[in-house]
Amino acid sequence: MRLLVVGKLSGQLSTAVKMAMSAGAKVSHVESTDAATHALRAGQGADLLMVDYDLDIAGLIAANEAERIHVPVVACGIAADPKRAGDAIRAGAKEFIPLPPEAALIAAVLAAVSDDNRPMVVRDPSMQQVIQLADQVAPSDASILITGESGVGKEVVARYVHQKSRRANRPFISVNCAAIPENLLESELFGHEKGAFTGALARRIGKFEEANGGTLLLDEISEMDARLQAKLLRAIQEREIDRVGGAKPVKVDIRILATSNRDLSQAVKEGVFREDLLYRLNVVNLRLPPLRERPGDVVAMAEFFVKKYAAANGMPEKPLSAEAKRRLAAHRWPGNVRELENAMHRAILLAVGPEIDEMAIRLPDGQPLAPADAGARTAQAAAAAAETATRSFVGQTVAEMEQQLIIETLEHCFGNRTHAANILGISIRTLRNKLKEYTEAGVTVPAPQMGASAA
């Protein structure tokens, strides 16, 4: 993990820095908040900022966000004043570390805020084959395309490949192509020169240059627009990039990894993804099976999440009961590893008694997991429901059926656009365009509910 310390290196802060380094952090230092923003803008990447609470933390966070730099902040200070510590948290700091520091507290805060604790938990033979292939190709510089449903752990595998590569001691930079608006993604990837466009107040180093010497992960690559795909193809082929507004190309040495939860071959046929770019990215394909196809991993992952969230919540670690394990293994987990993780976090909070029993493991709607022998009954019910649904579509146009399906899926996802797009198998951009059409036609579109993303 890359830690940027902001403040004067007094004796106590120096001690905290040494403890962070002992906990595995790669530490750099600046004395002022302006210098911190300048360093991040100039490509000195950081996964976490540790900032003296005597400095303007709110101003630092605002300046970073104005540059679209999103790095979590922890505050620290000598002779901890509860009011000032509270002010730092209200200003946007995630945690407060009192000085003089404790080594255990430093390590715990770094792990909790950075969330680096994402090891590869693999027991099922189908997933072991994927990891065996990853081990085989990791030492090369070949581009790798990691595919699979949303929530299966594609970024975790990408980090694993980086850690097994010859670039393991160099930066690992991840860019979510679906989360950044089209008009900003080019600058985010390639950087820009001062005055390149309105709001470009200073030179900004992009993710390609920040990842120089290391690995760049292009998450959800299918969401990149066609014009930017052409620029990306050139960057991969020529190993050089052009900053927005730049006068000359910049050489880069990076390894490209990409992920997608869509079928990119089908996207090529539909004309929304470049075939030549797909060939460049897909030198090796790592397809991650959904959790329902790797039952051997379910209980092992559940036990890992129990340990993780028991520690995070300061609660005793409890074993899973035999019936809980049976129900976990039998459930289909449509949200994959992400859904399992959330379920186990809830289970830690809901469990009573010496074990985590089956009633503590609940679905997002609050219902417990079905008994392990309920699979056949569930399949029969699903078949009957499918037949009823098919009959209800008779007499409708394709456009009407599509609209009904999209609206009902969005209602099922409590208005969460990203989840709905994943279920429907379409891009978030396509979904947004459809919803815009429906709204303009006077159709009521479900709004995101509290806690649901409108992404």
Side-chain angles (χ1 to χ4, degrees):
M1 189 194 75
R2 300 167 300 167
L3 175 67
L4 177 60
V5 177
V6 186
K8 293 187 180 296
L9 281 181
S10 64
Q12 299 296 351
L13 189 55
S14 294
T15 302
V17 166
K18 292 175 183 177
M19 289 179 177
M21 293 173 70
S22 297
K26 297 177 181 177
V27 181
S28 53
H29 167 254
V30 295
E31 290 198 351
S32 69
T33 55
D34 287 345
T37 299
H38 176 76
L40 295 171
R41 185 195 300 129
Q44 181 181 324
D47 301 307
L48 182 67
L49 304 182
M50 183 186 293
V51 185
D52 187 331
Y53 73 172
D54 285 332
L55 299 178
D56 182 7
I57 290 177
L60 171 62
I61 293 173
N64 287 348
E65 289 183 348
E67 298 275 356
R68 301 189 306 281
I69 299 170
H70 304 287
V71 182
V73 170
V74 295
C76 61
I78 300 172
D81 179 337
K83 180 181 182 303
R84 291 164 69 199
D87 289 343
I89 297 296
R90 283 187 287 274
K94 300 295 184 183
E95 290 284 355
F96 175 77
I97 300 176
L99 302 178
E102 296 181 7
L105 177 60
I106 293 280
V109 169
L110 294 182
V113 175
S114 66
D115 195 24
D116 272 350
N117 188 22
R118 290 178 284 182
M120 188 70 63
V121 179
V122 177
R123 299 290 185 277
D124 195 87
S126 65
M127 194 63 186
Q128 287 175 344
Q129 292 178 4
V130 175
I131 298 306
Q132 184 177 15
L133 179 57
D135 288 338
Q136 185 176 343
V137 300
S140 74
D141 272 344
S143 298
I144 297 176
L145 181 62
I146 305 170
T147 57
E149 295 179 4
S150 180
V152 293
K154 296 187 289 295
E155 184 171 349
V156 174
V157 171
R159 290 180 180 273
Y160 177 85
V161 169
H162 171 70
Q163 291 162 4
K164 292 288 185 176
S165 75
R166 295 176 301 198
R167 300 172 181 263
N169 293 324
R170 303 294 294 170
F172 175 89
I173 305 298
S174 176
V175 182
N176 188 328
C177 300
I180 302 172
E182 291 178 27
N183 61 323
L184 300 179
L185 184 56
E186 181 177 10
S187 172
E188 189 74 15
L189 288 173
F190 302 110
H192 62 252
E193 296 290 349
K194 180 179 179 180
F197 50 83
T198 302
L201 303 180
R203 171 186 284 182
R204 167 78 185 276
I205 297 301
K207 298 302 184 184
F208 265 82
E209 289 180 80
E210 188 178 335
N212 195 34
T215 302
L216 177 64
L217 172 63
L218 300 173
D219 200 13
E220 301 305 342
I221 186 69
S222 59
E223 302 307 308
M224 185 178 290
D225 73 275
R227 183 188 62 83
L228 202 50
Q229 289 176 31
K231 189 167 182 177
L232 173 61
L233 178 64
R234 179 183 177 277
I236 296 174
Q237 289 176 333
E238 305 299 330
R239 293 186 174 272
E240 63 182 26
I241 56 102
D242 295 302
R243 297 192 193 114
V244 179
K248 60 181 181 179
V250 179
K251 290 289 184 182
V252 290
D253 171 26
I254 59 174
R255 201 252 187 98
I256 296 286
L257 306 179
T259 75
S260 178
N261 59 12
R262 298 182 63 198
D263 182 348
L264 290 184
S265 297
Q266 182 60 36
V268 169
K269 293 177 182 177
E270 294 170 358
V272 296
F273 200 82
R274 292 180 64 109
E275 186 174 28
D276 46 5
L277 178 58
L278 176 57
Y279 290 147
R280 281 288 179 179
L281 296 172
N282 196 25
V283 176
V284 178
N285 179 248
L286 297 178
R287 177 196 170 272
L288 306 192
L291 202 52
R292 61 183 174 273
E293 294 179 10
R294 42 199 264 220
D297 286 346
V298 174
V299 173
M301 285 186 174
E303 290 174 337
F304 167 76
F305 291 133
V306 165
K307 183 176 181 179
K308 174 181 176 179
Y309 287 109
N313 289 283
M315 303 175 70
E317 183 182 337
K318 298 179 180 180
L320 293 164
S321 71
E323 178 60 22
K325 290 180 180 179
R326 282 193 290 270
R327 294 195 184 193
L328 284 167
H331 189 65
R332 288 184 61 79
W333 300 110
N336 293 297
V337 179
R338 190 176 296 125
E339 181 186 3
L340 174 63
E341 179 173 3
N342 291 339
M344 300 320 299
H345 194 172
R346 279 193 297 272
I348 283 291
L349 304 177
L350 298 177
V352 293
E355 292 184 317
I356 298 176
D357 64 17
E358 66 277 10
M359 298 309 294
I361 304 173
R362 295 182 174 268
L363 300 173
D365 62 1
Q367 295 299 310
L369 297 180
D373 61 355
R377 296 196 301 273
T378 302
Q380 291 173 354
E387 183 178 351
T388 301
T390 300
R391 285 199 298 268
S392 70
F393 282 130
V394 173
Q396 296 189 52
T397 66
V398 171
E400 290 170 339
M401 292 169 59
E402 180 184 63
Q403 177 180 307
Q404 181 181 340
L405 180 61
I406 288 175
I407 296 297
E408 290 181 357
T409 302
L410 202 56
E411 289 173 347
H412 171 76
C413 296
F414 303 106
N416 187 305
R417 271 60 171 163
T418 302
H419 290 176
N422 289 335
I423 292 172
L424 292 163
I426 59 178
S427 70
I428 187 68
R429 188 172 297 118
T430 298
L431 179 60
R432 289 190 188 120
N433 291 339
K434 291 289 184 184
L435 297 180
K436 184 173 182 291
E437 290 177 13
Y438 300 157
T439 301
E440 291 173 349
V443 176
T444 301
V445 172
Q449 297 184 19
M450 185 66 68
S453 169

